Amino acid sequence: MSFPLHPPVKRSVTIAGHPTSISLEPVFWDALEAEAARQALPVNALVARIDVERMEAEDPPNLTSAIRQWLWRERSGQMAP
């Protein structure tokens, strides 16, 4: 089964009062919005949580990469080591 591939879509989010732009493919935006709804959080709040977790890493990835990895872990039911 094939599915259409789409380029990233840039959206603005606010983290700790600071606006930033994030480019994610629509499938990741959909997953992020669904996870935020599941946790009863605004998307900005979930992105802020992911950002805090990202900054705790020994070699932090960029925020977009951290969001993709976080979503993959959540959807896979895996927790970070």
Side-chain angles (χ1 to χ4, degrees):
M1 181 168 122
S2 67
F3 59 92
L5 299 175
H6 299 283
V9 174
K10 186 177 281 192
R11 294 189 190 172
S12 294
V13 297
T14 302
I15 302 171
H18 301 285
T20 188
S21 293
I22 298 173
S23 292
L24 290 169
E25 295 76 10
V27 67
F28 286 106
W29 281 118
D30 292 347
L32 187 63
E33 290 167 353
E35 188 58 28
R38 190 184 74 74
Q39 294 190 26
L41 292 171
V43 170
N44 287 345
L46 180 56
V47 170
R49 284 186 181 181
I50 295 168
D51 189 44
V52 167
E53 184 178 319
R54 164 184 87 95
M55 294 307 295
E56 292 173 352
E58 186 174 319
D59 185 17
N62 67 49
L63 181 56
T64 301
S65 179
I67 291 168
R68 286 187 186 107
Q69 292 176 62
W70 188 91
L71 288 167
W72 181 263
R73 273 198 337 255
E74 287 300 306
R75 293 293 170 129
S76 299
Q78 300 173 2
M79 296 306 295

